[in-house]
Amino acid sequence: MAETSATTETGEPASRPRKSSWKYIGPGIVVAATGVGAGDLVATLIAGSKFGYTLMWAAVIGCVVKISLAEAAGRWHLATGRTLFDGWRSLGPWTTVYFAIYVVVWGFIYGATAMSSSALPIVALFPDGPGLKFWAIVTGLIGLVFVWFNRYAVFEKVMTVLIGIMFVVVVYVAIRVVPDVGASFAGLLPVLPDGSLLYTLGLIGGVGGTITMAAYGYWVNAKGWSNSSWMKVMRLDNRVAYITTGLFVVAMLIVGAELLHASQIALTSGDRGLIDLGKVLEDRFGAGTAKLFLVGFFATSFSSLIGVWHGVSLMFADFVERFRAPAAGGEEKAGPAVAERQQRSLPFRAYLLWLTFPPMTLLWLDEPFGLVIAYGVLGAFFMPFLALTLIWLLNSSRTPGEWRNGWLSNGMLALSGLLFVVLCVQQVRDLPW
């Protein structure tokens, strides 16, 4: 695409806007595959098992909220030529302190969680083989080696394969249980049955709503999208990501409603609930369907593992680089060259090692009480932090006028910020103080 002689407000040469095209899709697939973990699917299943199709509308609203948040993160990167951490840093030192504590504590606990989640379906598929700890360590090491030696292009291709497996398996299981189409459409009418408020908030805010939403802008840059000429492409890519996520949620709600609700079958909370579902599927449809489901379970968990290993390590590398740099404004502009360098950097690899080896100790120990509290509090505060800081950044002079928030963006970000504050308060209240 030929460049014009004009320049953008970031000082880069301005390109004519790229037409939004399916051939460019990539970072959205990565964020969708990373953001939907096994625990999210269990939470959706439990909502379906308790309330049937009644909360289908909440899944749709959740999809729209996530589209708004990720679009805002991607728009910041493309419109300003600055990374999200660079933007946070411009809001004051409190953001640096928060992120530094969060990324260290969160990574330590999440590493063990991701490895265990990836190991569970392997143990179920091969019950006579090695145990959970062995497979957890193996999956962690495979994730480490894969991300260490591969750049974004290969990473994206593998994530596309994994989300393809997830999609086929989840939709296949939803079709096998024979969804009630009439009840599905009736569930699009907003209704709150007694005792459903927390499940509703969880459906809207939970699935696909993690730090990986903040990583989306970094993957956009790593893909090679570096200025506002890619804005239409990014928006299509983002919509594909969260419509895909919405289809996962709807499919799992159908499974919960049809397979579990009528029979009043209870699942274990957390990742192990998918093992319970595998046994239910085996009883109902045979061993072949159960094994296929476990393959999909593994794809779901392992895609989240390598997605975090790559995306959050990239954010950490940027955090260290920007922290060392002079005051905001003099750094190199964000883009593919910066992302490529950061993927080879010492901080990137150091955080990869932090995600992999220290968490292995938690596979033998119960998670320390204080660490669980810190992880819960920091994790609960992250999504409100993301939503509210994006409102701040995208309504200020830090963003070129053309790309600042309109009334719709402000409304959606404010709605998501309020939602995540409510979820944050509830999560903190539910911690084992």
Side-chain angles (χ1 to χ4, degrees):
M1 181 85 53
E3 300 285 336
T4 68
S5 59
T7 59
T8 66
E9 292 190 42
T10 65
E12 294 182 344
S15 304
R16 290 196 296 269
R18 271 76 170 178
K19 292 181 180 178
S20 56
S21 170
W22 293 94
K23 70 180 181 180
Y24 293 123
I25 297 299
I29 297 295
V30 171
V31 80
T34 306
V36 181
D40 296 315
L41 294 187
V42 173
T44 308
L45 274 171
I46 291 175
S49 70
K50 287 182 176 291
F51 303 104
Y53 292 95
T54 311
L55 300 181
M56 190 74 77
W57 62 272
V60 174
I61 290 178
C63 182
V64 174
V65 165
K66 304 301 189 323
I67 287 173
S68 302
L69 269 170
E71 187 275 341
R75 176 155 46 96
W76 166 264
H77 276 250
L78 295 181
T80 66
R82 299 167 70 182
T83 65
L84 189 53
F85 181 76
D86 197 10
W88 286 339
R89 186 181 172 212
S90 73
L91 300 179
W94 65 276
T95 57
T96 301
V97 173
Y98 170 77
F99 185 78
I101 298 171
Y102 173 82
V103 80
V104 171
V105 176
W106 183 89
F108 184 46
I109 300 283
Y110 182 82
T113 303
M115 288 186 275
S116 296
S117 179
S118 298
L120 275 170
I122 302 177
V123 173
L125 282 166
F126 306 104
D128 297 326
L132 181 73
K133 294 182 180 66
F134 173 84
W135 286 117
I137 291 170
V138 167
T139 56
L141 292 175
I142 291 172
L144 170 69
V145 171
F146 172 74
V147 174
W148 189 290
F149 290 106
N150 287 291
R151 296 292 166 259
Y152 177 79
V154 176
F155 165 71
E156 182 189 287
K157 288 182 173 63
V158 171
M159 292 292 275
T160 302
V161 170
L162 290 172
I163 201 172
I165 295 170
M166 292 163 59
F167 188 84
V168 169
V169 169
V170 169
V171 171
Y172 168 75
V173 172
I175 293 171
R176 283 297 301 269
V177 302
V178 190
D180 184 331
V181 177
S184 299
F185 280 106
L188 295 175
L189 294 174
V191 175
L192 273 178
D194 290 342
S196 67
L197 179 60
L198 292 182
Y199 292 97
T200 303
L201 291 173
L203 272 179
I204 297 173
V207 180
T210 67
I211 191 173
T212 54
M213 296 191 71
Y216 178 60
Y218 290 86
W219 284 323
V220 161
N221 288 154
K223 177 74 170 175
W225 308 346
S226 57
N227 56 45
S228 59
S229 69
W230 291 97
M231 202 69 76
K232 286 185 178 179
V233 175
M234 181 275 293
R235 284 170 168 161
L236 174 66
D237 177 75
N238 174 49
R239 287 172 193 142
V240 169
Y242 283 100
I243 289 172
T244 304
T245 302
L247 290 173
F248 281 131
V249 178
V250 168
M252 294 307 276
L253 265 178
I254 289 170
V255 174
E258 293 293 342
L259 200 61
L260 308 175
H261 181 59
S263 307
Q264 295 297 299
I265 297 171
L267 296 184
T268 307
S269 62
D271 302 346
R272 292 182 182 275
L274 293 185
I275 300 295
D276 297 347
L277 179 61
K279 293 173 182 174
V280 174
L281 289 170
E282 185 170 3
D283 293 341
R284 179 87 174 264
F285 301 113
T289 297
K291 289 185 183 300
L292 181 65
F293 175 74
L294 289 171
V295 170
F297 176 4
F298 173 76
T300 301
S301 297
F302 192 66
S303 64
S304 292
L305 185 152
I306 60 173
V308 166
W309 263 228
H310 186 277
V312 184
S313 297
L314 199 53
M315 289 184 70
F316 182 78
D318 183 61
F319 162 73
V320 173
E321 186 171 295
R322 305 289 166 174
F323 183 73
R324 288 173 174 171
E331 305 95 335
E332 183 179 1
K333 295 296 182 184
V338 173
E340 176 66 24
R341 184 185 69 242
Q342 288 175 343
Q343 288 174 86
R344 296 194 304 266
S345 69
L346 179 60
F348 181 90
R349 291 177 169 173
Y351 195 74
L352 262 180
L353 296 173
W354 174 253
L355 280 167
T356 307
F357 291 107
M360 288 179 183
T361 60
L362 297 182
L363 299 173
W364 276 268
L365 302 171
D366 289 332
E367 293 169 0
F369 180 78
L371 204 55
V372 171
I373 298 296
Y375 173 76
V377 171
L378 288 166
F381 275 93
F382 185 79
M383 292 304 287
F385 170 79
L386 176 62
L388 298 174
T389 53
L390 281 171
I391 291 175
W392 190 346
L393 290 170
L394 292 168
N395 283 287
S396 71
S397 58
R398 298 171 181 84
T399 305
E402 179 185 358
W403 302 112
R404 288 179 200 162
N405 278 357
W407 65 268
L408 182 60
S409 294
N410 276 326
M412 292 305 301
L413 287 176
L415 175 65
S416 61
L418 180 62
L419 165 71
F420 289 125
V421 166
V422 174
L423 278 171
C424 171
V425 171
Q426 187 59 45
Q427 283 178 263
V428 172
R429 285 176 58 189
D430 289 345
L431 286 170
W433 295 99

